[in-house]
Amino acid sequence: MARVLAALLVLASVVVAAPSRRSLHALHEKRAMEPTDWVKSRRVDPDWVLPMRFGLVQSNLDKLEEMLVEVSHPRSPKFGQHYSPAEVMDTFAPSKESVDAVTDWLVSSGISRDRLRLTSNRGWIHVNATTAEIEDLLKAEYHIYTHVETGAEQLGCHNYSLPIRIRDHVDLVKPTVHFNHRLGANAKAKRFGGLGMPSIGNGPKKSSKAVTITPSLETCDQMITLDCLRALYNINYTPVATDKNTFGVVEFTPQAFLPGDLDLFFRNFSPSLVGVRPKSVLIDGAVVQNTSRSFNFNGESDLDLQYAMGLTAPQQITLLQTGDLSQGAGFDNWLDALDGPFCTFDGGDDPTQDGIYPDAAGSPASCGIIAPPNVVSISYGQDEATASVHYATRQCNEYGKLGLMGTSVVYSSGDNGVAGFNNVCLDSSHQDATSSNTIFNPEFPSSCPFVTAVGATQVNPGSTINDPEGACEQVIFSGGGFSNIFQMPSYQTDAVNAYIKAHLTPSPFTPGQFNDTGNARGFPDVAANGANYIIGQHKRVL
Ligand SMILES: *[C@@H]1O[C@H](CO)[C@@H](O)[C@H](O)[C@H]1NC(C)=O
Ligand SMILES: *[C@@H]1O[C@H](CO)[C@@H](O)[C@H](O)[C@H]1NC(C)=O
Ligand SMILES: *[C@@H]1O[C@H](CO)[C@@H](O)[C@H](O)[C@H]1NC(C)=O
Ligand SMILES: *[C@@H]1O[C@H](CO)[C@@H](O)[C@H](O)[C@H]1NC(C)=O
């Protein structure tokens, strides 16, 4: 994949002598907030050559949902007829019309055709142009920005415009408003990526109390075990064609499982699995670290693997360990490993969210290093409000494309009910989150309609495995709500409308407290037990 991407196609060099025409421009992108700690120090020299990239819009994205439902709905005649990676790439590649429109505009503006390069996936047109040329093309002003503390410099513009007839063909232009200089270790704390950092607080909830009872089917309201889950959901089945199946579990470094923890758990609850390990795929220089050891470093990975392995054995589990110890990773990074072209199209990964590889620590960029597993499970999330619409949409479409290829992606829906991490809600502009705000704070990627969002239920205190479960309200509050970015997909219309009718009509909430238009994506999609799991960890069964 990487090889194909690196090979740039030279555009057919038919030189058309077109007179330069003035065109009506309209604002295309502008910076939301000036970056703090950076000052605008001077204009960029007009002769300075900039490596410009024009990202072209993908075709057929408006058909993605319909195509996905066609191959995913059991009653559809095309059920299970998944697309190949090449078919997906072809379907969504920018159209010839877009390539031509942008090419013609650049040529007619005085950039000769032999200076343009189209990338092999047709996603980008590259051109080296002087700052003067670009400022004229984009009606922008390029400045050098200097970092106050370190003196580091980067260039960019505050906003840029495109001719009206070109705007629909261009997703974004770089370098422009995207402020993405990386300052190394210190910058890390400011970006959201590094999902695995214990401070992010997305591990299992902290009540890491030691086990004081002998767990049994009678105590499932206090402690969930593999046997409790099997009994609750009548799981009485041994997978037979495990070599044809693949099941991936994503973990973000420095979160890591400890082999001894798996064995401790299996000795107690699944003896035949003692010594069995997941198959580790190390993405972007990942390590399954074993130097930082505590519930905060190992709890999530231990939990995910002990139950994934325990419930699906003898299915081999693939551990998709993502991110190195230096910068960690965001959600785009594990997707890059499954789909090489995703590394670069639509602007590539987002330095404010993802790890950018290769990096100074010597970690490679893992683009397309593994075929997508049939099912991928991820127990991490972020507040949707911390993702830009561009970032969330680009990533969400990728989950849809994986679905077309037959991969189901399963995300947990969160632990804080309608609030976000740390139990905070949004202000009315969705810019700030504090405990005194009241606007609901949905979670991403579970708010993306192309993943399966999984909420949590509980065996209510005093109830047995034969009683109905309740929504999870002890230890954690199952996450759910309505997206502020994504529309309601057709497949959930009936379910969401029935929910709105039964529980939100009339609405007990203030207008605007969440997207109550009835048009927004609702989540979770399904729910299963999510409280009081026993985990084998650090010589104790927690
Ligand atoms: C732009 O210039 C760089 C450095 O000389 C070169 O590697 C690259 O191929 C050029 N790109 C185009 C599109 O001409
Ligand atoms: C765009 O940037 C220019 C120069 O940096 C500035 O003068 C102008 O006000 C900006 N326009 C908008 C709409 O923000
Ligand atoms: C820790 O990880 C290193 C590197 O993978 C490995 O060589 C070592 O055996 C591990 N130590 C323990 C105690 O698991
Ligand atoms: C609610 O969500 C829909 C669908 O995404 C969107 O079109 C609409 O603008 C949103 N309304 C508000 C008030 O946020």
Side-chain angles (χ1 to χ4, degrees), residues 1 283-284 322 330-345 348-350 354-357 365-370 394-395 398 402:
M1 287 297 195
I283 297 168
D284 297 330
T322 307
F331 295 115
D332 287 341
N333 292 109
W334 75 266
L335 289 165
D336 289 337
L338 270 55
D339 183 6
F342 185 67
C343 276
T344 50
F345 73 62
D349 293 349
D350 181 342
D354 303 311
I356 299 299
Y357 295 97
S366 300
C367 296
I369 61 165
I370 175 186
R394 173 179 181 269
Q395 188 182 108
E398 179 70 11
L402 284 177

PDB file of all heavy atoms in Angstrom, residues 1 283-284 322 330-345 348-350 354-357 365-370 394-395 398 402:
ATOM      1  N   MET A   1       0.837  -1.196   0.000  1.00  0.00           N
ATOM      2  CA  MET A   1       0.000   0.000   0.000  1.00  0.00           C
ATOM      3  C   MET A   1       0.868   1.240   0.000  1.00  0.00           C
ATOM      4  O   MET A   1       0.704   2.143  -0.802  1.00  0.00           O
ATOM      5  CB  MET A   1      -0.869   0.083   1.255  1.00  0.00           C
ATOM      6  CG  MET A   1      -2.015  -0.865   1.312  1.00  0.00           C
ATOM      7  SD  MET A   1      -3.260  -0.678   0.051  1.00  0.00           S
ATOM      8  CE  MET A   1      -4.541  -1.654   0.780  1.00  0.00           C
ATOM      9  N   ILE A 283       1.585  -1.492  16.569  1.00  0.00           N
ATOM     10  CA  ILE A 283       1.288  -0.412  15.621  1.00  0.00           C
ATOM     11  C   ILE A 283       2.026   0.866  16.026  1.00  0.00           C
ATOM     12  O   ILE A 283       1.939   1.288  17.176  1.00  0.00           O
ATOM     13  CB  ILE A 283      -0.238  -0.171  15.571  1.00  0.00           C
ATOM     14  CG1 ILE A 283      -0.940  -1.431  15.050  1.00  0.00           C
ATOM     15  CG2 ILE A 283      -0.575   1.052  14.719  1.00  0.00           C
ATOM     16  CD1 ILE A 283      -2.450  -1.425  15.238  1.00  0.00           C
ATOM     17  N   ASP A 284       2.756   1.464  15.095  1.00  0.00           N
ATOM     18  CA  ASP A 284       3.470   2.727  15.337  1.00  0.00           C
ATOM     19  C   ASP A 284       4.483   2.609  16.479  1.00  0.00           C
ATOM     20  O   ASP A 284       4.515   3.460  17.376  1.00  0.00           O
ATOM     21  CB  ASP A 284       2.481   3.880  15.660  1.00  0.00           C
ATOM     22  CG  ASP A 284       1.536   4.179  14.508  1.00  0.00           C
ATOM     23  OD1 ASP A 284       1.942   3.976  13.346  1.00  0.00           O
ATOM     24  OD2 ASP A 284       0.399   4.614  14.763  1.00  0.00           O
ATOM     25  N   THR A 322      -1.475  -0.034  20.159  1.00  0.00           N
ATOM     26  CA  THR A 322      -1.290   1.140  19.305  1.00  0.00           C
ATOM     27  C   THR A 322      -0.567   2.278  20.017  1.00  0.00           C
ATOM     28  O   THR A 322      -0.934   2.658  21.128  1.00  0.00           O
ATOM     29  CB  THR A 322      -2.669   1.644  18.808  1.00  0.00           C
ATOM     30  OG1 THR A 322      -3.372   0.560  18.212  1.00  0.00           O
ATOM     31  CG2 THR A 322      -2.510   2.737  17.766  1.00  0.00           C
ATOM     32  N   GLY A 330      -3.994   8.180  18.862  1.00  0.00           N
ATOM     33  CA  GLY A 330      -5.422   8.465  18.836  1.00  0.00           C
ATOM     34  C   GLY A 330      -6.115   7.403  17.990  1.00  0.00           C
ATOM     35  O   GLY A 330      -5.470   6.476  17.488  1.00  0.00           O
ATOM     36  N   PHE A 331      -7.410   7.569  17.795  1.00  0.00           N
ATOM     37  CA  PHE A 331      -8.175   6.526  17.101  1.00  0.00           C
ATOM     38  C   PHE A 331      -7.761   6.355  15.640  1.00  0.00           C
ATOM     39  O   PHE A 331      -7.840   5.260  15.102  1.00  0.00           O
ATOM     40  CB  PHE A 331      -9.669   6.829  17.187  1.00  0.00           C
ATOM     41  CG  PHE A 331     -10.186   6.773  18.595  1.00  0.00           C
ATOM     42  CD1 PHE A 331     -10.670   7.901  19.226  1.00  0.00           C
ATOM     43  CD2 PHE A 331     -10.157   5.580  19.304  1.00  0.00           C
ATOM     44  CE1 PHE A 331     -11.142   7.847  20.523  1.00  0.00           C
ATOM     45  CE2 PHE A 331     -10.621   5.515  20.606  1.00  0.00           C
ATOM     46  CZ  PHE A 331     -11.118   6.664  21.217  1.00  0.00           C
ATOM     47  N   ASP A 332      -7.326   7.442  14.982  1.00  0.00           N
ATOM     48  CA  ASP A 332      -6.926   7.288  13.580  1.00  0.00           C
ATOM     49  C   ASP A 332      -5.762   6.314  13.436  1.00  0.00           C
ATOM     50  O   ASP A 332      -5.609   5.687  12.393  1.00  0.00           O
ATOM     51  CB  ASP A 332      -6.496   8.635  12.990  1.00  0.00           C
ATOM     52  CG  ASP A 332      -7.677   9.567  12.733  1.00  0.00           C
ATOM     53  OD1 ASP A 332      -8.820   9.079  12.661  1.00  0.00           O
ATOM     54  OD2 ASP A 332      -7.438  10.778  12.596  1.00  0.00           O
ATOM     55  N   ASN A 333      -4.920   6.214  14.474  1.00  0.00           N
ATOM     56  CA  ASN A 333      -3.702   5.441  14.319  1.00  0.00           C
ATOM     57  C   ASN A 333      -3.955   3.946  14.121  1.00  0.00           C
ATOM     58  O   ASN A 333      -3.288   3.300  13.314  1.00  0.00           O
ATOM     59  CB  ASN A 333      -2.766   5.655  15.509  1.00  0.00           C
ATOM     60  CG  ASN A 333      -2.203   7.062  15.558  1.00  0.00           C
ATOM     61  OD1 ASN A 333      -2.566   7.854  16.420  1.00  0.00           O
ATOM     62  ND2 ASN A 333      -1.328   7.410  14.628  1.00  0.00           N
ATOM     63  N   TRP A 334      -4.927   3.378  14.836  1.00  0.00           N
ATOM     64  CA  TRP A 334      -5.162   1.935  14.617  1.00  0.00           C
ATOM     65  C   TRP A 334      -5.859   1.719  13.278  1.00  0.00           C
ATOM     66  O   TRP A 334      -5.666   0.696  12.626  1.00  0.00           O
ATOM     67  CB  TRP A 334      -5.889   1.282  15.789  1.00  0.00           C
ATOM     68  CG  TRP A 334      -7.355   1.554  15.938  1.00  0.00           C
ATOM     69  CD1 TRP A 334      -7.933   2.513  16.705  1.00  0.00           C
ATOM     70  CD2 TRP A 334      -8.437   0.844  15.308  1.00  0.00           C
ATOM     71  NE1 TRP A 334      -9.302   2.454  16.579  1.00  0.00           N
ATOM     72  CE2 TRP A 334      -9.637   1.443  15.739  1.00  0.00           C
ATOM     73  CE3 TRP A 334      -8.499  -0.238  14.422  1.00  0.00           C
ATOM     74  CZ2 TRP A 334     -10.891   0.996  15.316  1.00  0.00           C
ATOM     75  CZ3 TRP A 334      -9.745  -0.682  14.004  1.00  0.00           C
ATOM     76  CH2 TRP A 334     -10.921  -0.069  14.442  1.00  0.00           C
ATOM     77  N   LEU A 335      -6.659   2.716  12.841  1.00  0.00           N
ATOM     78  CA  LEU A 335      -7.304   2.595  11.526  1.00  0.00           C
ATOM     79  C   LEU A 335      -6.258   2.626  10.409  1.00  0.00           C
ATOM     80  O   LEU A 335      -6.375   1.897   9.425  1.00  0.00           O
ATOM     81  CB  LEU A 335      -8.314   3.730  11.344  1.00  0.00           C
ATOM     82  CG  LEU A 335      -9.566   3.597  12.206  1.00  0.00           C
ATOM     83  CD1 LEU A 335     -10.344   4.897  12.250  1.00  0.00           C
ATOM     84  CD2 LEU A 335     -10.449   2.466  11.670  1.00  0.00           C
ATOM     85  N   ASP A 336      -5.227   3.454  10.565  1.00  0.00           N
ATOM     86  CA  ASP A 336      -4.141   3.502   9.581  1.00  0.00           C
ATOM     87  C   ASP A 336      -3.542   2.107   9.381  1.00  0.00           C
ATOM     88  O   ASP A 336      -3.191   1.721   8.272  1.00  0.00           O
ATOM     89  CB  ASP A 336      -3.009   4.421  10.059  1.00  0.00           C
ATOM     90  CG  ASP A 336      -3.393   5.889  10.042  1.00  0.00           C
ATOM     91  OD1 ASP A 336      -4.306   6.265   9.287  1.00  0.00           O
ATOM     92  OD2 ASP A 336      -2.755   6.660  10.789  1.00  0.00           O
ATOM     93  N   ALA A 337      -3.403   1.380  10.484  1.00  0.00           N
ATOM     94  CA  ALA A 337      -2.752   0.070  10.405  1.00  0.00           C
ATOM     95  C   ALA A 337      -3.588  -0.928   9.610  1.00  0.00           C
ATOM     96  O   ALA A 337      -3.066  -1.856   9.009  1.00  0.00           O
ATOM     97  CB  ALA A 337      -2.485  -0.471  11.811  1.00  0.00           C
ATOM     98  N   LEU A 338      -4.916  -0.711   9.581  1.00  0.00           N
ATOM     99  CA  LEU A 338      -5.810  -1.626   8.861  1.00  0.00           C
ATOM    100  C   LEU A 338      -6.041  -1.198   7.422  1.00  0.00           C
ATOM    101  O   LEU A 338      -6.434  -2.002   6.581  1.00  0.00           O
ATOM    102  CB  LEU A 338      -7.184  -1.671   9.550  1.00  0.00           C
ATOM    103  CG  LEU A 338      -7.408  -2.696  10.648  1.00  0.00           C
ATOM    104  CD1 LEU A 338      -6.381  -2.572  11.735  1.00  0.00           C
ATOM    105  CD2 LEU A 338      -8.810  -2.573  11.209  1.00  0.00           C
ATOM    106  N   ASP A 339      -5.873   0.099   7.144  1.00  0.00           N
ATOM    107  CA  ASP A 339      -6.183   0.618   5.824  1.00  0.00           C
ATOM    108  C   ASP A 339      -5.134   1.675   5.466  1.00  0.00           C
ATOM    109  O   ASP A 339      -5.225   2.821   5.902  1.00  0.00           O
ATOM    110  CB  ASP A 339      -7.594   1.239   5.830  1.00  0.00           C
ATOM    111  CG  ASP A 339      -7.998   1.733   4.440  1.00  0.00           C
ATOM    112  OD1 ASP A 339      -7.241   1.492   3.481  1.00  0.00           O
ATOM    113  OD2 ASP A 339      -9.063   2.365   4.330  1.00  0.00           O
ATOM    114  N   GLY A 340      -4.129   1.266   4.706  1.00  0.00           N
ATOM    115  CA  GLY A 340      -2.998   2.136   4.384  1.00  0.00           C
ATOM    116  C   GLY A 340      -3.385   3.500   3.837  1.00  0.00           C
ATOM    117  O   GLY A 340      -2.877   4.521   4.305  1.00  0.00           O
ATOM    118  N   PRO A 341      -4.300   3.556   2.844  1.00  0.00           N
ATOM    119  CA  PRO A 341      -4.631   4.862   2.266  1.00  0.00           C
ATOM    120  C   PRO A 341      -5.192   5.855   3.289  1.00  0.00           C
ATOM    121  O   PRO A 341      -5.063   7.063   3.127  1.00  0.00           O
ATOM    122  CB  PRO A 341      -5.701   4.525   1.207  1.00  0.00           C
ATOM    123  CG  PRO A 341      -5.434   3.110   0.845  1.00  0.00           C
ATOM    124  CD  PRO A 341      -4.920   2.456   2.113  1.00  0.00           C
ATOM    125  N   PHE A 342      -5.799   5.354   4.365  1.00  0.00           N
ATOM    126  CA  PHE A 342      -6.370   6.242   5.371  1.00  0.00           C
ATOM    127  C   PHE A 342      -5.290   7.130   6.011  1.00  0.00           C
ATOM    128  O   PHE A 342      -5.578   8.241   6.462  1.00  0.00           O
ATOM    129  CB  PHE A 342      -7.099   5.433   6.444  1.00  0.00           C
ATOM    130  CG  PHE A 342      -7.822   6.272   7.469  1.00  0.00           C
ATOM    131  CD1 PHE A 342      -8.917   7.031   7.102  1.00  0.00           C
ATOM    132  CD2 PHE A 342      -7.405   6.307   8.791  1.00  0.00           C
ATOM    133  CE1 PHE A 342      -9.585   7.817   8.040  1.00  0.00           C
ATOM    134  CE2 PHE A 342      -8.067   7.082   9.737  1.00  0.00           C
ATOM    135  CZ  PHE A 342      -9.164   7.837   9.353  1.00  0.00           C
ATOM    136  N   CYS A 343      -4.031   6.628   6.031  1.00  0.00           N
ATOM    137  CA  CYS A 343      -2.924   7.419   6.583  1.00  0.00           C
ATOM    138  C   CYS A 343      -2.857   8.806   5.954  1.00  0.00           C
ATOM    139  O   CYS A 343      -2.465   9.765   6.611  1.00  0.00           O
ATOM    140  CB  CYS A 343      -1.588   6.722   6.320  1.00  0.00           C
ATOM    141  SG  CYS A 343      -1.158   5.463   7.521  1.00  0.00           S
ATOM    142  N   THR A 344      -3.198   8.900   4.672  1.00  0.00           N
ATOM    143  CA  THR A 344      -2.942  10.164   3.979  1.00  0.00           C
ATOM    144  C   THR A 344      -4.177  10.864   3.421  1.00  0.00           C
ATOM    145  O   THR A 344      -4.126  12.060   3.187  1.00  0.00           O
ATOM    146  CB  THR A 344      -1.969   9.936   2.809  1.00  0.00           C
ATOM    147  OG1 THR A 344      -2.442   8.836   2.043  1.00  0.00           O
ATOM    148  CG2 THR A 344      -0.572   9.653   3.314  1.00  0.00           C
ATOM    149  N   PHE A 345      -5.280  10.149   3.165  1.00  0.00           N
ATOM    150  CA  PHE A 345      -6.339  10.879   2.480  1.00  0.00           C
ATOM    151  C   PHE A 345      -7.100  11.839   3.392  1.00  0.00           C
ATOM    152  O   PHE A 345      -7.038  11.734   4.606  1.00  0.00           O
ATOM    153  CB  PHE A 345      -7.256   9.975   1.649  1.00  0.00           C
ATOM    154  CG  PHE A 345      -8.218   9.092   2.402  1.00  0.00           C
ATOM    155  CD1 PHE A 345      -9.199   9.618   3.221  1.00  0.00           C
ATOM    156  CD2 PHE A 345      -8.153   7.724   2.225  1.00  0.00           C
ATOM    157  CE1 PHE A 345     -10.094   8.810   3.879  1.00  0.00           C
ATOM    158  CE2 PHE A 345      -9.045   6.915   2.890  1.00  0.00           C
ATOM    159  CZ  PHE A 345     -10.016   7.458   3.721  1.00  0.00           C
ATOM    160  N   GLY A 348      -5.097  13.435   6.175  1.00  0.00           N
ATOM    161  CA  GLY A 348      -4.286  12.572   7.027  1.00  0.00           C
ATOM    162  C   GLY A 348      -4.673  12.706   8.500  1.00  0.00           C
ATOM    163  O   GLY A 348      -5.700  13.292   8.844  1.00  0.00           O
ATOM    164  N   ASP A 349      -3.830  12.139   9.362  1.00  0.00           N
ATOM    165  CA  ASP A 349      -4.119  12.150  10.784  1.00  0.00           C
ATOM    166  C   ASP A 349      -4.034  13.574  11.331  1.00  0.00           C
ATOM    167  O   ASP A 349      -3.435  14.458  10.733  1.00  0.00           O
ATOM    168  CB  ASP A 349      -3.143  11.226  11.518  1.00  0.00           C
ATOM    169  CG  ASP A 349      -3.393   9.773  11.132  1.00  0.00           C
ATOM    170  OD1 ASP A 349      -4.421   9.501  10.488  1.00  0.00           O
ATOM    171  OD2 ASP A 349      -2.556   8.924  11.467  1.00  0.00           O
ATOM    172  N   ASP A 350      -4.633  13.765  12.500  1.00  0.00           N
ATOM    173  CA  ASP A 350      -4.756  15.088  13.086  1.00  0.00           C
ATOM    174  C   ASP A 350      -3.783  15.212  14.260  1.00  0.00           C
ATOM    175  O   ASP A 350      -3.938  14.524  15.267  1.00  0.00           O
ATOM    176  CB  ASP A 350      -6.208  15.266  13.569  1.00  0.00           C
ATOM    177  CG  ASP A 350      -6.460  16.625  14.175  1.00  0.00           C
ATOM    178  OD1 ASP A 350      -5.492  17.310  14.548  1.00  0.00           O
ATOM    179  OD2 ASP A 350      -7.643  17.000  14.287  1.00  0.00           O
ATOM    180  N   ASP A 354      -4.038  12.665  17.183  1.00  0.00           N
ATOM    181  CA  ASP A 354      -3.369  11.391  16.926  1.00  0.00           C
ATOM    182  C   ASP A 354      -1.868  11.493  17.176  1.00  0.00           C
ATOM    183  O   ASP A 354      -1.317  12.589  17.245  1.00  0.00           O
ATOM    184  CB  ASP A 354      -3.590  10.989  15.464  1.00  0.00           C
ATOM    185  CG  ASP A 354      -5.073  10.908  15.117  1.00  0.00           C
ATOM    186  OD1 ASP A 354      -5.815  10.270  15.878  1.00  0.00           O
ATOM    187  OD2 ASP A 354      -5.466  11.488  14.091  1.00  0.00           O
ATOM    188  N   GLY A 355      -1.212  10.357  17.245  1.00  0.00           N
ATOM    189  CA  GLY A 355       0.235  10.342  17.181  1.00  0.00           C
ATOM    190  C   GLY A 355       0.628  10.535  15.721  1.00  0.00           C
ATOM    191  O   GLY A 355      -0.042  10.032  14.825  1.00  0.00           O
ATOM    192  N   ILE A 356       1.694  11.290  15.456  1.00  0.00           N
ATOM    193  CA  ILE A 356       2.135  11.491  14.079  1.00  0.00           C
ATOM    194  C   ILE A 356       3.434  10.705  13.887  1.00  0.00           C
ATOM    195  O   ILE A 356       4.451  10.993  14.518  1.00  0.00           O
ATOM    196  CB  ILE A 356       2.331  12.994  13.765  1.00  0.00           C
ATOM    197  CG1 ILE A 356       1.011  13.743  13.931  1.00  0.00           C
ATOM    198  CG2 ILE A 356       2.860  13.179  12.344  1.00  0.00           C
ATOM    199  CD1 ILE A 356      -0.132  13.302  13.014  1.00  0.00           C
ATOM    200  N   TYR A 357       3.339   9.688  13.045  1.00  0.00           N
ATOM    201  CA  TYR A 357       4.462   8.770  12.823  1.00  0.00           C
ATOM    202  C   TYR A 357       4.887   8.815  11.365  1.00  0.00           C
ATOM    203  O   TYR A 357       4.050   9.098  10.516  1.00  0.00           O
ATOM    204  CB  TYR A 357       4.034   7.347  13.208  1.00  0.00           C
ATOM    205  CG  TYR A 357       3.735   7.217  14.686  1.00  0.00           C
ATOM    206  CD1 TYR A 357       2.430   7.307  15.162  1.00  0.00           C
ATOM    207  CD2 TYR A 357       4.776   7.046  15.601  1.00  0.00           C
ATOM    208  CE1 TYR A 357       2.163   7.226  16.528  1.00  0.00           C
ATOM    209  CE2 TYR A 357       4.510   6.944  16.964  1.00  0.00           C
ATOM    210  CZ  TYR A 357       3.202   7.033  17.421  1.00  0.00           C
ATOM    211  OH  TYR A 357       2.945   6.947  18.761  1.00  0.00           O
ATOM    212  N   ALA A 365       5.690   4.639  10.880  1.00  0.00           N
ATOM    213  CA  ALA A 365       4.257   4.830  10.636  1.00  0.00           C
ATOM    214  C   ALA A 365       3.723   3.484  10.168  1.00  0.00           C
ATOM    215  O   ALA A 365       4.204   2.931   9.195  1.00  0.00           O
ATOM    216  CB  ALA A 365       4.037   5.881   9.561  1.00  0.00           C
ATOM    217  N   SER A 366       2.743   2.942  10.863  1.00  0.00           N
ATOM    218  CA  SER A 366       2.200   1.640  10.478  1.00  0.00           C
ATOM    219  C   SER A 366       0.972   1.857   9.602  1.00  0.00           C
ATOM    220  O   SER A 366      -0.129   2.065  10.104  1.00  0.00           O
ATOM    221  CB  SER A 366       1.843   0.831  11.723  1.00  0.00           C
ATOM    222  OG  SER A 366       2.992   0.627  12.517  1.00  0.00           O
ATOM    223  N   CYS A 367       1.185   1.842   8.300  1.00  0.00           N
ATOM    224  CA  CYS A 367       0.082   2.054   7.360  1.00  0.00           C
ATOM    225  C   CYS A 367      -0.219   0.739   6.638  1.00  0.00           C
ATOM    226  O   CYS A 367       0.640   0.217   5.939  1.00  0.00           O
ATOM    227  CB  CYS A 367       0.446   3.122   6.335  1.00  0.00           C
ATOM    228  SG  CYS A 367       0.694   4.745   7.055  1.00  0.00           S
ATOM    229  N   GLY A 368      -1.416   0.214   6.826  1.00  0.00           N
ATOM    230  CA  GLY A 368      -1.800  -1.001   6.131  1.00  0.00           C
ATOM    231  C   GLY A 368      -0.923  -2.193   6.464  1.00  0.00           C
ATOM    232  O   GLY A 368      -0.536  -2.945   5.578  1.00  0.00           O
ATOM    233  N   ILE A 369      -0.602  -2.397   7.735  1.00  0.00           N
ATOM    234  CA  ILE A 369       0.281  -3.516   8.095  1.00  0.00           C
ATOM    235  C   ILE A 369      -0.490  -4.790   8.409  1.00  0.00           C
ATOM    236  O   ILE A 369       0.106  -5.847   8.563  1.00  0.00           O
ATOM    237  CB  ILE A 369       1.203  -3.176   9.294  1.00  0.00           C
ATOM    238  CG1 ILE A 369       0.385  -2.847  10.549  1.00  0.00           C
ATOM    239  CG2 ILE A 369       2.146  -2.031   8.951  1.00  0.00           C
ATOM    240  CD1 ILE A 369       1.216  -2.869  11.825  1.00  0.00           C
ATOM    241  N   ILE A 370      -1.810  -4.714   8.509  1.00  0.00           N
ATOM    242  CA  ILE A 370      -2.574  -5.921   8.845  1.00  0.00           C
ATOM    243  C   ILE A 370      -3.941  -5.858   8.165  1.00  0.00           C
ATOM    244  O   ILE A 370      -4.531  -4.773   8.048  1.00  0.00           O
ATOM    245  CB  ILE A 370      -2.740  -6.053  10.391  1.00  0.00           C
ATOM    246  CG1 ILE A 370      -3.632  -7.248  10.747  1.00  0.00           C
ATOM    247  CG2 ILE A 370      -3.258  -4.784  11.006  1.00  0.00           C
ATOM    248  CD1 ILE A 370      -3.974  -7.377  12.206  1.00  0.00           C
ATOM    249  N   ARG A 394     -14.251  12.340   9.068  1.00  0.00           N
ATOM    250  CA  ARG A 394     -13.273  11.559   8.292  1.00  0.00           C
ATOM    251  C   ARG A 394     -13.133  10.163   8.911  1.00  0.00           C
ATOM    252  O   ARG A 394     -13.152   9.159   8.208  1.00  0.00           O
ATOM    253  CB  ARG A 394     -11.926  12.296   8.303  1.00  0.00           C
ATOM    254  CG  ARG A 394     -10.774  11.527   7.684  1.00  0.00           C
ATOM    255  CD  ARG A 394      -9.483  12.352   7.713  1.00  0.00           C
ATOM    256  NE  ARG A 394      -8.382  11.640   7.105  1.00  0.00           N
ATOM    257  CZ  ARG A 394      -7.529  10.847   7.773  1.00  0.00           C
ATOM    258  NH1 ARG A 394      -7.674  10.672   9.078  1.00  0.00           N
ATOM    259  NH2 ARG A 394      -6.562  10.219   7.138  1.00  0.00           N
ATOM    260  N   GLN A 395     -13.032  10.135  10.243  1.00  0.00           N
ATOM    261  CA  GLN A 395     -12.845   8.851  10.919  1.00  0.00           C
ATOM    262  C   GLN A 395     -14.116   7.998  10.844  1.00  0.00           C
ATOM    263  O   GLN A 395     -14.056   6.784  10.609  1.00  0.00           O
ATOM    264  CB  GLN A 395     -12.467   9.108  12.372  1.00  0.00           C
ATOM    265  CG  GLN A 395     -12.058   7.869  13.122  1.00  0.00           C
ATOM    266  CD  GLN A 395     -11.740   8.213  14.564  1.00  0.00           C
ATOM    267  OE1 GLN A 395     -12.491   7.878  15.465  1.00  0.00           O
ATOM    268  NE2 GLN A 395     -10.626   8.879  14.791  1.00  0.00           N
ATOM    269  N   GLU A 398     -14.526   6.226   7.705  1.00  0.00           N
ATOM    270  CA  GLU A 398     -13.621   5.078   7.615  1.00  0.00           C
ATOM    271  C   GLU A 398     -14.249   3.847   8.281  1.00  0.00           C
ATOM    272  O   GLU A 398     -14.120   2.735   7.773  1.00  0.00           O
ATOM    273  CB  GLU A 398     -12.277   5.431   8.264  1.00  0.00           C
ATOM    274  CG  GLU A 398     -11.246   4.305   8.271  1.00  0.00           C
ATOM    275  CD  GLU A 398     -10.690   3.963   6.892  1.00  0.00           C
ATOM    276  OE1 GLU A 398     -10.937   4.729   5.935  1.00  0.00           O
ATOM    277  OE2 GLU A 398     -10.021   2.917   6.777  1.00  0.00           O
ATOM    278  N   LEU A 402     -14.908   0.282   6.462  1.00  0.00           N
ATOM    279  CA  LEU A 402     -14.559  -1.026   7.018  1.00  0.00           C
ATOM    280  C   LEU A 402     -15.781  -1.926   7.028  1.00  0.00           C
ATOM    281  O   LEU A 402     -15.699  -3.124   6.751  1.00  0.00           O
ATOM    282  CB  LEU A 402     -13.999  -0.877   8.444  1.00  0.00           C
ATOM    283  CG  LEU A 402     -12.571  -0.365   8.570  1.00  0.00           C
ATOM    284  CD1 LEU A 402     -12.190  -0.208  10.035  1.00  0.00           C
ATOM    285  CD2 LEU A 402     -11.586  -1.301   7.874  1.00  0.00           C
TER     286      LEU A 402
END
